[in-house]
Amino acid sequence: MKFGHLKATCSILLPDGAPDWVHLLPLGVIKGRDGREWKVTDPQAVVAASAARGLDAVIDYEHQTDLAEKNGQPAPAAGWIKEFQVRADGIWGRVDWTAQGAERIRAKEYRYLSPTFEHTKSGEVVAILRAALTNAPALFLTALATEQDDYPMEELLKALRAALGLPETATQETALAKVGDLAKSAATAASAETALAAARQALGLADDADAKAIETAIATAKAAKADPDPNAFVPRAEFERVSTQLAGLEKSLTADKATAAAEKAAAAVEKAMCDGKIAPASKDWAIGYATKDPDGFAAYCKAAPAVIAPGGGLERKPKAGDPLSEEEKAMCRQLGLDEAAFLKSRDEEVAR
């Protein structure tokens, strides 16, 4: 997916020692030594976008993370950015330094911190990707030679076409419009889940990856093409719209599954009570059991003898701290249950 974002670096002098917090970017206009300019006008948005990646940002040595693909050398971490914070003078990061990284700073082997950030073509800083220890402040705001600013979308688009029953010639606009139509109807839940599954498979994600994970995977992937075909990418706004719709559908599906499970558990307990397998006083305990382990509850009811006359039993619901009723004691004896353990489990369910 082509977002139009580029990467750049700048250098900041480190204080003595290995500080817990480091100054990553100033606010306002950032001027490069070569005359170019960048700007940070919405630092809170930059912090949110940086943290939304879901991974600690690495601090390496001399930007080796970005250079490893070309020079084949390892890219060890000097530290990890655990948290971003907006202050009066800019954006700061809380760092968990490695033992070697902290020692090299204390020994003044490295004096500068050079953050790598993502920005738009107009120079607006979007997110901080990582940073590096460096002694080459001449790199101040110089774009990296390994710069790659496009994100793969063709595989996802192919998967969406197949999942939505569209021909291979369908454009990205057609696919996005189809997904939008599906999002408007509850009857499309199965189709939406299929589209999510296809997206996970195309991106190599786990089967339980949610819509946010799908968005993150796309946003962090690097394009393999030096000159990408514009028809293989979609605008960021469109992608975010579809991601939001897919996330809403997944949330709705989860809620529907939870409701269905609760209804099924309640029905199973009602039948067990009618069959005399569960006393009414133990209804809350039984519903908790049937909700967490429906198969186990079904096996329990099948094997358990009737502890009360079918359709009969107590009408009073127990309170937390009440002793076991005679019917509950009889059930414990017949099923070989520990009375104290059963009482504790029952009181926990009643208290919820």
Side-chain angles (χ1 to χ4, degrees), residues 24-234:
L24 294 171
L25 283 177
L27 301 182
V29 176
I30 305 170
K31 294 186 178 181
R33 295 179 184 276
D34 58 2
R36 291 180 297 166
E37 292 186 357
W38 284 260
K39 54 189 175 182
V40 177
T41 58
D42 190 348
Q44 293 291 355
V46 174
V47 166
S50 303
R53 297 174 181 275
L55 297 173
D56 294 341
V58 68
I59 296 180
D60 60 16
Y61 299 93
E62 304 292 358
H63 296 290
Q64 180 57 29
T65 298
D66 296 280
L67 301 173
E69 185 176 348
K70 281 197 171 184
N71 63 28
Q73 298 299 312
W80 300 92
I81 300 175
K82 310 292 289 186
E83 180 184 354
F84 295 94
Q85 185 182 95
V86 176
R87 299 184 183 180
D89 58 349
I91 298 175
W92 289 68
R94 182 171 62 84
V95 182
D96 180 11
W97 296 102
T98 65
Q100 184 182 54
E103 179 58 31
R104 299 185 80 171
I105 294 173
R106 284 193 292 268
K108 296 186 177 181
E109 293 181 17
Y110 281 97
R111 298 295 309 278
Y112 296 91
L113 183 70
S114 177
T116 299
F117 54 87
E118 190 178 53
H119 63 86
T120 65
K121 291 182 178 179
S122 64
E124 181 70 34
V125 176
V126 175
I128 298 172
L129 303 178
R130 53 193 156 270
L133 294 179
T134 181
N135 286 324
L139 293 177
F140 184 72
L141 291 176
T142 300
L144 294 176
T146 57
E147 177 181 295
Q148 294 179 351
D149 60 277
D150 299 314
Y151 300 83
M153 187 63 185
E154 184 59 32
E155 291 302 316
L156 178 57
L157 187 56
K158 288 180 180 178
L160 285 175
R161 289 190 190 112
L164 298 173
L166 298 174
E168 294 183 0
T169 56
T171 64
Q172 59 192 27
E173 288 78 11
T174 300
L176 290 171
K178 181 66 174 180
V179 173
D181 291 339
L182 293 177
K184 296 177 182 178
S185 173
T188 63
S191 296
E193 182 59 35
T194 300
L196 281 172
R200 294 184 189 106
Q201 183 178 7
L203 294 168
L205 299 175
D207 293 340
D208 58 351
D210 58 16
K212 183 63 178 178
I214 294 175
E215 179 183 5
T216 301
I218 294 173
T220 56
K222 292 182 178 180
K225 298 180 181 180
D227 186 15
D229 180 3
N231 293 325
F233 302 92
V234 297

Side-chain angles (χ1 to χ4, degrees), residues 259-294:
T259 301
E263 292 175 349
K264 186 176 180 180
V269 171
E270 288 296 333
K271 184 178 185 305
M273 291 174 59
C274 290
D275 292 342
K277 301 295 183 77
I278 300 295
S282 304
K283 182 177 180 180
D284 290 339
W285 168 82
I287 288 179
Y289 185 6
T291 301
K292 294 177 183 177
D293 185 5

